[in-house]
Amino acid sequence: ANGTAGTWAYHDHNYESHNGSENKGLFGALIVNPKNSPKFDKEYVLYLGDDAFWGMEIDGNTKKQSKHGVNPSLDAAKNSEVRFHLIAMGTDLHQFVLPGYRWIDPGTNRHISRADIGPLEKHVFSVKAKESSQYFDADLSNRLLGMKGNFQVH
């Protein structure tokens, strides 16, 4: 149906403080692509928790999903088209950075190199894999907790 395309998170709720989503229970994502959407070689779903990234990967050809766990290393073939789905869980504010890359801020024509994401927000973008980098959360407290992972292009 019209209006249903996008990345949609599901999650447990925290009924004690009603603050943010529960990142210790059941959570995941539903990705609904429009009928004529571009094809991606790989898609990465990264959940931004209060102290770590949790990730999974979707192969664009086979649609096979692979769980990668905490602060995952993501790999891509050089010049492949990849899409990131960032979903903030918990209660922290995040500043996602992927050095060496710029992408179109969804809904605008602006090119950005950092995405500010608050609790229960999402940010979806695509890039052409051109060089290896290390993604991280530039928010100081999250960076000190080690929220980072490798993006390996080969």
Side-chain angles (χ1 to χ4, degrees):
N2 289 338
T4 60
T7 301
W8 305 97
Y10 61 86
H11 54 84
D12 285 350
H13 288 261
N14 177 340
Y15 288 108
E16 291 178 15
S17 67
H18 302 284
N19 190 11
S21 65
E22 183 58 53
N23 60 357
K24 295 178 179 69
L26 177 68
F27 61 88
L30 297 171
I31 300 169
V32 180
N33 290 315
K35 185 177 181 180
N36 296 317
S37 68
K39 302 294 182 213
F40 297 96
D41 297 299
K42 287 203 177 176
E43 300 196 50
Y44 310 108
V45 180
L46 291 175
Y47 302 97
L48 289 69
D50 286 346
D51 60 357
F53 289 99
W54 290 82
M56 65 166 294
E57 178 179 302
I58 304 166
D59 182 286
N61 295 318
T62 66
K63 306 302 183 210
K64 181 180 178 194
Q65 299 178 27
S66 304
K67 180 182 169 186
H68 286 305
V70 179
N71 298 326
S73 286
L74 308 172
D75 66 45
K78 189 166 185 69
N79 295 320
S80 63
E81 297 290 334
V82 299
R83 181 164 64 167
F84 286 79
H85 303 263
L86 309 176
I87 302 170
M89 305 297 287
T91 59
D92 280 1
L93 299 174
H94 303 277
Q95 295 176 349
F96 179 86
V97 180
L98 182 61
Y101 287 88
R102 293 179 63 78
W103 58 89
I104 295 175
D105 191 8
T108 75
N109 291 324
R110 294 180 317 138
H111 283 83
I112 61 174
S113 59
R114 181 185 88 189
D116 296 322
I117 308 168
L120 300 177
E121 292 180 345
K122 62 189 173 209
H123 183 81
V124 179
F125 68 94
S126 60
V127 296
K128 182 177 288 234
K130 56 184 179 174
E131 63 185 23
S132 293
S133 186
Q134 185 176 71
Y135 65 88
F136 62 92
D137 189 336
D139 177 80
L140 182 59
S141 62
N142 292 334
R143 193 163 187 184
L144 291 172
L145 287 170
M147 284 188 70
K148 63 184 176 187
N150 293 319
F151 178 52
Q152 300 169 343
V153 177
H154 47 90

